[in-house]
Each structure stands twice: as structure tokens, then as C-alpha cells.
Amino acid sequence: MNDPNVLDQAALAPYLEANIPGFSGLAAIEKFKSGQSNPTYLLTAASGRYVLRAKPPGQLLKSAHQVDREFRVMKALAGTAVPVPRMLHLSDEDSPIGRMFYVMDFVDGRIFWDPALPEARDNDERAAIYDALNDTLAALHDVDVEAVGLGDFGRPGNYFERQLARWTSQYRASETGTVADMDRLIAWLETRMPEDDGRVSLVHGDYRLDNLIFAPDRPKVLAVLDWELSTSGHPFADIAYQCMQWRLPHSSGFRGLGGVDRAALGLPLEEEYVAAYCRRRGLTGIGNWTFFLAFSFFRLAAICQGVFKRALDGNASNPEKARTYGEAAKLLSHLAAKLIDKEA
């Protein structure tokens, strides 16, 4: 049985040479192990190294895997304070691999998979890496969406109301059994929905340490990756999502910072990180924090359930790993249930 994630090099090479100026001599295609949603590949050619990111094969959920949105937002951010790879080409669905993909420059640098940063030289470098992470997020939320041509990148109205409806629908479409904590979480979020305060910015949607590439020799961000979930929306979604991840157990597959002695490693506490973000953006603080955190748990649980369902259907980018996501969705909704119980 052929692996649907293996690309046809003979068919792809002439297409890339015809559509990307200067591209020549495709020699190898290597699939990255990371990237559960959209399979991503390193292309090695005589003209250099490139990255190809494609929709997954098979039947897909509506509005998911929009690689064209990723391409559009990164192209729009070129020249802003938010570093992104150079976008080279976007195919249509009728491509040599039978589905939409885009190609961008390969950015050579460090990706930190463990948020405790064991590979950092010392505590000063760890602190500087997190400060750069914070600074880049603030810069993203300061981008003028109209000025960069993304004024129509999201729908008007209450961002969290929209997102709750969207991800509840996605979760129900990929549901494989009843999860009581998830049902309770959805009901809690519906009844605690905050009023729209009018804040709108470009939202990454999956802003975390391992979606950034850092310079090989210093704590400088070279590129922000994985924009599939980006939209114009509420900036507090990104900062809460990042802090939610740090609450996840470090010993779990999420590799959060839960249980890690941050002070001993020179890592910022959640309060310090949020305060630094607020200073950069001229904010006095962020209210309704529990709602934003609980929403982040819910949304990630819905995403994990979708990955798990694709694994059952045979469409996952990394099927073996994807099957663990069913348990991850249960863990996330359980942690969120404990969080909202504290608020009760």
C-alpha cells in the first residue's frame, strides 16, 4: 500500500522549476516528523533548500488545513517587525501532488522543542529567549492589519463567540465518544462569554516556542512558522494560549512547564510574562483571565480530537503519534474542568 504522504519527486521537479524563479535540480524530499495538521517537507535542490507544506490527503473537515491562508499571511508580513520565511509559490488543488501546497525558503536556525530549554547556555540565555518570544508576540499584535492587506482576514463581531461556535462544530464533527469534561467546558464557556471589547489584531492561533526559529548563536527570532490557524481576532487569545501550554505537565506529550521550577532555570513566571507583554503593548493588565485560559484548553482539545479522528480515518500526517491525541483531548478538557471549578 502506497503512503499518501510520500510525494512524487519526478512529477514535482519540473513543476517547481517552472513556477519558482531560480529553482533547479530537485535532489531529495524529506518529510519532517513534526506537523500533525499539514504535512511538511524539506526539499533539497541544486539551487538550495526549501520547505513545502501541503494539505493532508483524504477527506478533510470544512475550513481546516487552509495552507493558502498560511501563505497569504506570511507573504503579507514580509517587511514588518514579525519575521517570516520568504514565500515562493502557492499551488492550486490541481497540483502534481493532487492537493494544494506552498513553497517557502528554508530558514536555518534553532527550534526549541522543550520549553525548559535544556540546551541553552545558561539562565541568562533562557530568559532572553523568552523575552524575544514575548517581544515577537507583542509585535505581531501591533501589526496594522489594514496596512498589510489583511483587513478581510477575519469576520467582524465577538472573536471568542465566533471561535467557540467554530471549534464546537469541529469537535462535534470529529467526536468519537462522550467526554463529560468537554461537554461541561463548552457549556461553561457559553455562559461566561465576555462582551466584545473591540480589540482586533492579527492572531497567530498556535503561538508557542517550537513554532519559532531562533538564530543559531543568539536569542533572536528568525521566523515564526505554522500560521494555519491565524486570523484577525482578539490578541488575548494568543497570550492565554501560550500560558495555557505552560500549565500542561512537562512529563506529558505536550512538554509544558507544569511541575518545572521556572525560577531555578531563569524562566519567567506566568505573571511576569503577561506583565512584560502588557508593558510592550501599553496595557494595564488582562481581566477575565480564567475565561481566556479555559477557552484555550477547549480549543486545543478540539484540535487534538480532530487529529485523532483523522488517524482513525487514515488521513493523519503521522498516524502513530496522532492516535495519542484522543487521550490528549481528554487530558486537556479535564485540566480545564479543574480550572473552572476553582472559579466556581
Side-chain angles (χ1 to χ4, degrees):
M1 182 177 177
N2 293 331
D3 183 348
N5 283 302
V6 174
L7 304 186
D8 185 342
Q9 185 172 324
L12 192 58
Y15 175 89
L16 296 178
E17 290 183 4
N19 287 281
I20 299 176
F23 188 99
S24 66
L26 179 60
I29 302 175
E30 179 185 357
K31 185 174 178 294
F32 290 105
K33 291 181 180 178
S34 59
Q36 276 302 310
S37 182
N38 295 323
T40 308
Y41 305 82
L42 173 64
L43 307 181
T44 303
S47 52
R49 288 187 290 177
Y50 309 82
V51 172
L52 182 151
R53 191 158 160 87
K55 283 188 176 185
Q59 189 68 34
L60 305 176
L61 288 173
K62 184 182 177 182
S63 81
H65 315 286
Q66 294 177 305
V67 296
D68 49 334
R69 283 179 69 83
E70 283 195 286
F71 181 88
R72 181 187 173 192
V73 70
M74 284 190 278
K75 192 165 186 178
L77 286 171
T80 70
V82 183
V84 289
R86 187 166 61 107
M87 297 293 104
L88 301 174
H89 177 68
L90 174 68
S91 82
D92 56 26
E93 297 285 359
D94 188 25
S95 75
I97 67 171
R99 54 193 191 275
M100 185 181 290
F101 68 84
Y102 66 84
V103 178
M104 60 185 173
D105 274 347
F106 173 79
V107 177
D108 197 6
R110 296 181 291 174
I111 296 179
F112 299 113
W113 299 102
D114 185 337
L117 299 176
E119 61 271 76
R121 288 188 297 272
D122 52 31
N123 283 7
D124 286 344
E125 187 181 32
R126 289 188 186 94
I129 287 168
Y130 272 89
D131 195 56
L133 182 72
N134 188 288
D135 185 57
T136 302
L137 182 62
L140 168 63
H141 293 160
D142 281 340
V143 168
D144 184 331
V145 291
E146 294 286 348
V148 298
L150 296 174
D152 61 345
F153 203 57
R155 296 176 183 173
N158 189 320
Y159 170 79
F160 289 102
E161 201 170 69
R162 259 189 357 253
Q163 287 282 299
L164 180 60
R166 175 193 172 184
W167 288 107
T168 299
S169 174
Q170 297 277 42
Y171 174 74
R172 296 304 183 199
S174 58
E175 201 171 10
T176 53
T178 300
V179 179
D181 283 333
M182 192 66 167
D183 290 340
R184 189 158 69 91
L185 177 58
I186 291 170
W188 187 91
L189 290 168
E190 287 174 345
T191 59
R192 302 300 196 287
M193 181 64 61
E195 292 291 322
D196 185 11
D197 62 6
R199 296 182 196 272
V200 178
S201 72
L202 189 57
V203 173
H204 181 275
D206 195 13
Y207 194 81
R208 60 178 197 252
L209 191 63
D210 57 282
N211 274 335
L212 277 67
I213 299 176
F214 285 79
D217 56 349
R218 61 195 188 284
K220 175 181 174 60
V221 179
L222 298 183
V224 182
L225 306 175
D226 200 353
W227 293 84
E228 183 199 351
L229 298 172
S230 62
T231 185
S232 58
H234 204 293
F236 294 169
D238 273 341
I239 185 77
Y241 178 78
Q242 193 174 1
C243 291
M244 175 272 300
Q245 290 174 320
W246 294 350
R247 290 164 173 256
L248 298 174
H250 186 260
S251 56
S252 72
F254 289 107
R255 300 299 288 273
L257 286 174
V260 172
D261 187 344
R262 296 195 201 180
L265 294 174
L267 304 176
L269 300 177
E270 182 178 296
E271 297 80 7
E272 295 169 339
Y273 191 85
V274 173
Y277 170 84
C278 288
R279 280 196 305 274
R280 285 186 161 112
R281 302 213 62 233
L283 305 174
T284 56
I286 299 176
N288 223 357
W289 189 238
T290 299
F291 174 88
F292 298 134
L293 283 174
F295 172 81
S296 298
F297 276 105
F298 152 75
R299 180 171 163 276
L300 185 55
I303 291 169
C304 288
Q305 182 63 32
V307 175
F308 176 58
K309 182 64 161 59
R310 284 202 307 280
L312 296 181
D313 294 343
N315 296 332
S317 173
N318 185 338
E320 187 175 334
K321 184 179 178 184
R323 290 188 181 91
T324 67
Y325 279 59
E327 291 305 312
K330 293 176 185 175
L331 171 64
L332 288 162
S333 57
H334 178 66
L335 291 172
K338 290 169 66 176
L339 178 67
I340 62 178
D341 282 345
K342 288 182 182 178
E343 190 83 350

